[in-house]
Amino acid sequence: MLERILELIRKGKGIEEIAEELSLPREEVEGALKVLESLGYVEKVELGSSTCETCPLKSICPGSCFRFKGEVYTIAEFKLKEQK
């Protein structure tokens, strides 16, 4: 399940979309993301902490971070380099 969640994050899916696609409760997906974060596979993106130009979600974001109330995760850079 963790591998599938990573795959969906790579595709730009959010927590709700992942939960729906995997037929899991939102809480279970959130727990899995915390496990992946603790293992260093994903990083929680702190919204509003950077400008749109430096944001790691620039390619998929509509540019409305100030209205977003959820949590966003991105794949950790060092793990991507190891997989190449």
Side-chain angles (χ1 to χ4, degrees):
M1 175 182 73
L2 295 178
E3 290 174 355
R4 183 73 175 119
I5 290 174
L6 281 173
E7 178 183 320
L8 293 171
I9 291 171
R10 281 187 192 103
K11 292 180 179 180
K13 304 282 185 178
I15 293 173
E16 291 295 332
E17 295 168 306
I18 294 169
E20 184 176 319
E21 188 159 330
L22 299 179
S23 300
L24 296 171
R26 178 187 171 92
E27 294 79 21
E28 193 169 331
V29 174
E30 290 172 339
L33 286 169
K34 289 182 195 284
V35 169
L36 289 168
E37 184 179 17
S38 71
L39 295 171
Y41 285 95
V42 298
E43 296 174 342
K44 189 173 181 180
V45 175
E46 298 297 330
L47 301 177
S49 63
S50 61
T51 67
C52 288
E53 293 302 314
T54 59
C55 181
L57 301 176
K58 179 182 175 183
S59 64
I60 61 169
C61 180
S64 56
C65 291
F66 62 92
R67 287 183 268 170
F68 183 77
K69 301 293 183 208
E71 294 177 338
V72 176
Y73 289 83
T74 186
I75 303 297
E77 287 296 318
F78 74 94
K79 291 292 180 183
L80 286 177
K81 290 177 184 172
E82 288 178 8
Q83 292 179 3
K84 290 183 180 178

